[in-house]
Amino acid sequence: MIIFDTDVLIWILRGRKEIIQKAEKLINETNGYVYITPVQIAEIYAGARKKELKQIEKLINSFRKIEINEEIGKLSGEFMKKYRKSHNVELVDSLIVACCKVYGFKLWTLNKKHYPMIKEKLI
């Protein structure tokens, strides 16, 4: 099972062929078990233009969603404490990676430097 990072979603929305092809491959390999969190949803909508909303809704609705809970919040805080200064990790990144850790998922991202805490689980 895989979580798609926000950068991947943005490239899918922009129609980048190699990203779309890899996304399709991962969806097939996981039998559709690909996920996003409320963090990706918030980041996408924060940068959305009105004319993009239908396309965004269609993409977001094609993913399974992970809820953020207390355990994820605590772990995210631990990651922030450990990696914020040394690796410039932001809250959104720490929340996403905490979801990966708690649920045992991999993360597909193009920004691997944002995730020093799960190098072994990055795609």
Side-chain angles (χ1 to χ4, degrees), residues 25-43:
K25 181 181 177 207
L26 291 171
I27 290 165
N28 288 333
E29 288 175 358
T30 63
N31 293 318
Y33 285 92
V34 293
Y35 294 79
I36 57 174
T37 75
V39 174
Q40 287 93 332
I41 295 168
E43 287 187 304

Side-chain angles (χ1 to χ4, degrees), residues 1-5 8-9 12 19-38 40-41 58-67 96 99-100 103-109 123:
M1 294 178 275
I2 300 169
I3 295 176
F4 282 27
D5 198 8
V8 171
L9 299 176
I12 290 170
I19 300 296
I20 292 169
Q21 290 170 345
K22 184 170 181 174
E24 290 170 348
K25 181 181 177 207
L26 291 171
I27 290 165
N28 288 333
E29 288 175 358
T30 63
N31 293 318
Y33 285 92
V34 293
Y35 294 79
I36 57 174
T37 75
Q40 287 93 332
I41 295 168
K58 183 178 177 184
L59 179 66
I60 286 173
N61 288 333
S62 70
F63 285 87
R64 297 169 187 255
K65 314 306 184 291
I66 293 176
E67 296 297 321
I96 292 168
C99 288
C100 290
Y103 290 102
F105 291 179
K106 292 184 177 185
L107 176 65
W108 181 25
T109 183
I123 296 175

Side-chain angles (χ1 to χ4, degrees), residues 22-89:
K22 184 170 181 174
E24 290 170 348
K25 181 181 177 207
L26 291 171
I27 290 165
N28 288 333
E29 288 175 358
T30 63
N31 293 318
Y33 285 92
V34 293
Y35 294 79
I36 57 174
T37 75
V39 174
Q40 287 93 332
I41 295 168
E43 287 187 304
I44 292 293
Y45 275 103
R49 295 183 184 109
K50 192 172 184 174
K51 66 181 181 177
E52 299 169 326
L53 292 177
K54 286 184 182 178
Q55 182 186 8
I56 288 169
E57 284 184 38
K58 183 178 177 184
L59 179 66
I60 286 173
N61 288 333
S62 70
F63 285 87
R64 297 169 187 255
K65 314 306 184 291
I66 293 176
E67 296 297 321
I68 294 175
N69 58 29
E70 183 177 347
E71 181 181 8
I72 290 167
K74 287 178 182 178
L75 186 56
S76 173
E78 291 173 18
F79 289 145
M80 288 291 296
K81 189 178 205 177
K82 185 172 182 179
Y83 294 101
R84 178 178 30 206
K85 290 182 183 176
S86 63
H87 290 82
N88 201 29
V89 171

